[in-house]
Amino acid sequence: MNFDSVLQFLACPETGDTLEQENNNLISKNGTKYPITDNIPRLLIPTKSKEEEKVREKMQKFYETVTLPGYDGIDSPSVLMDKAKKSGFGRWLDEAISPMASVMEVGCGTGQMTNFLGLVSSRKVMGIDQSIPSLKLGQAFKEKFDLKNVSFIQGNIFTLPAKNNSVDILICSGVLHHTPDPYKGFTELLKKVKPGGYIVIGLYNSYARIPLGIRKIIFNCTGGALRNLDAHMRRKDVDKSKKEIWFSDQYKNPHESWHSVDEVLKWFEKNKVEFVSCVPNIAGRMGDETPQNQNLFKIHPKGSSIQHIAKQLGWMFTIGREGGLFVLTGRKQ
Ligand SMILES: C[S@@+](CC[C@H](N)C(=O)[O-])C[C@H]1O[C@@H](n2cnc3c(N)ncnc32)[C@H](O)[C@@H]1O
């Protein structure tokens, strides 16, 4: 497979230098060779700090067995499109992202969002993750349906194999809270976004996840019994294997952290990122928005800290039922 069209976005994870393809390798200026195996460039190098690397390795092992989201039943682009659009978030992203944009999804897992956004063939879409079994599932779908504009790459958020200021949109959802230093991860991701581009970050919310935290204690004390206390485990429309994956990811994950809206807004402020929107909303909708119709890239009211606390307490009973993930979008200045 030829990677010429993606090389303008990729860089040596060690030095940041440009990469060139020579047969089945990507080669850095200093001569380091990164193999392309199963059509996936292997650009993962360890995190510099030893302590942090231990956590990364633990998470890599975990997500090599827990690959998500699953492709069961997703056997065509139209089924993938239906699923992504039903999820709300997928549809809102698709509507907000220009057909000409370059998009990088970091921590793409099995790459369903990457493949979905790549169904618009004029977009350049890249999915980066450290888990090869997950990437292989995304790559298999891409190859089966010949999505030429989609690429999957193995990489580490903390040594990201991408050029600085190179992509229009960077998406990282459900990932940073599984890393040893989410703020540092955020700053690494931001470096790759072009000035004026957007960063979309999904994180576990400190308030919304309280009920789940309590259930986790109960499950730990009862050896996993009473699983039906979790609303997702009671769902009739989700099959058994998907429920098992959900349970492992939510209740047996070796590393996670929780974050508040104001904390992430501070990350934005510190790094000159303008707040654009939050899902769920933290203050108000734009005039033309309905609850089903969120405009992710339109600047929304930011609200006050008091409003944020009230909203987040309410999230315990809404998004808390499905993991408590909130998504903030910002614009790099
Ligand atoms: C909970 S899954 C989320 C997958 C996908 N974003 C989604 O929303 O369904 C977390 C993903 O982050 C990846 N990940 C965790 N730490 C990473 C790191 N340091 N570098 C790259 N990927 C990482 C894992 O391999 C895993 O696929």
Side-chain angles (χ1 to χ4, degrees):
M1 205 173 123
N2 186 298
F3 282 88
D4 280 357
S5 65
V6 202
L7 289 180
Q8 58 175 307
F9 302 99
L10 299 185
C12 170
E14 188 78 58
T15 61
D17 284 336
T18 34
L19 293 165
E20 278 178 19
Q21 184 169 2
E22 213 179 271
N23 303 319
N24 268 341
N25 291 296
L26 294 184
I27 303 181
S28 169
K29 252 189 190 166
N30 66 4
T32 312
K33 274 190 184 174
Y34 299 95
I36 304 168
T37 311
D38 302 318
N39 290 330
I40 300 171
R42 310 300 170 106
L43 291 166
L44 184 137
I45 63 165
T47 311
K48 302 230 156 52
S49 136
K50 278 204 177 121
E51 276 310 298
E52 292 179 5
E53 177 57 10
K54 270 190 207 153
V55 179
R56 191 202 64 76
E57 279 178 346
K58 200 162 55 175
M59 293 314 296
Q60 185 175 6
K61 279 207 184 92
F62 180 77
Y63 281 112
E64 278 170 357
T65 45
V66 177
T67 55
L68 76 157
Y71 275 86
D72 303 341
I74 301 181
D75 50 11
S76 72
S78 60
V79 176
L80 176 64
M81 191 175 282
D82 272 1
K83 184 192 165 192
K85 290 202 170 179
K86 267 191 203 134
S87 82
F89 182 55
R91 177 164 54 87
W92 299 328
L93 269 177
D94 191 42
E95 285 168 359
I97 298 176
S98 140
M100 303 313 290
S102 50
V103 185
M104 185 171 278
E105 191 192 3
V106 182
C108 64
T110 59
Q112 277 186 20
M113 186 62 85
T114 302
N115 276 325
F116 165 64
L117 295 173
L119 294 177
V120 175
S121 62
S122 50
R123 280 184 195 137
K124 177 70 60 198
V125 192
M126 291 149 281
I128 300 186
D129 203 283
Q130 62 181 1
S131 158
I132 287 294
S134 298
L135 289 169
K136 277 187 176 171
L137 291 173
Q139 179 70 19
F141 188 92
K142 170 225 143 76
E143 285 181 16
K144 187 166 177 195
F145 299 104
D146 199 21
L147 307 180
K148 291 196 173 59
N149 54 324
V150 173
S151 316
F152 289 99
I153 298 121
Q154 189 191 27
N156 170 9
I157 293 173
F158 295 93
T159 52
L160 213 51
K163 284 192 180 143
N164 289 348
N165 302 318
S166 65
V167 293
D168 296 313
I169 320 283
L170 193 140
I171 303 164
C172 182
S173 183
V175 185
L176 288 175
H177 50 234
H178 294 308
T179 69
D181 190 343
Y183 174 68
K184 191 167 157 205
F186 167 77
T187 59
E188 290 301 320
L189 297 170
L190 188 62
K191 285 181 192 165
K192 311 304 168 191
V193 181
K194 281 182 188 164
Y198 293 88
I199 183 158
V200 182
I201 299 288
L203 287 165
Y204 284 154
N205 183 256
S206 331
Y207 296 73
R209 230 166 141 77
I210 291 172
L212 192 144
I214 296 170
R215 285 195 297 274
K216 192 170 179 173
I217 296 170
I218 296 172
F219 297 149
N220 283 344
C221 296
T222 58
L226 309 172
R227 285 176 176 213
N228 275 357
L229 284 176
D230 181 296
H232 196 90
M233 299 302 284
R234 293 196 299 273
R235 276 176 63 170
K236 297 237 164 18
D237 57 329
V238 178
D239 67 39
K240 215 174 152 205
S241 68
K242 279 193 187 148
K243 283 183 182 170
E244 280 312 310
I245 288 183
W246 161 267
F247 195 83
S248 298
D249 190 36
Q250 298 295 316
Y251 295 102
K252 295 183 186 164
N253 206 300
H255 183 91
E256 70 173 57
S257 53
W258 299 355
H259 304 272
S260 72
V261 165
D262 280 13
E263 179 189 352
V264 187
L265 287 176
K266 277 199 195 105
W267 297 1
F268 278 18
E269 255 170 53
K270 257 178 144 174
N271 292 279
K272 298 196 172 58
V273 173
E274 178 186 23
F275 167 76
V276 177
S277 69
C278 182
V279 178
N281 269 289
I282 47 172
R285 295 181 187 284
M286 298 303 292
D288 54 351
E289 273 177 3
T290 63
Q292 290 75 31
N293 221 356
Q294 175 98 24
N295 192 330
L296 287 188
F297 290 178
K298 228 181 188 181
I299 295 176
H300 284 66
K302 207 195 272 185
S304 65
S305 295
I306 301 283
Q307 258 177 320
H308 300 162
I309 292 172
K311 285 272 181 189
Q312 290 172 103
L313 284 169
W315 290 355
M316 279 197 253
F317 310 100
T318 54
I319 56 166
R321 293 166 68 89
E322 291 291 324
L325 193 90
F326 70 115
V327 184
L328 273 171
T329 298
R331 190 156 184 259
K332 182 171 167 178
Q333 288 172 358

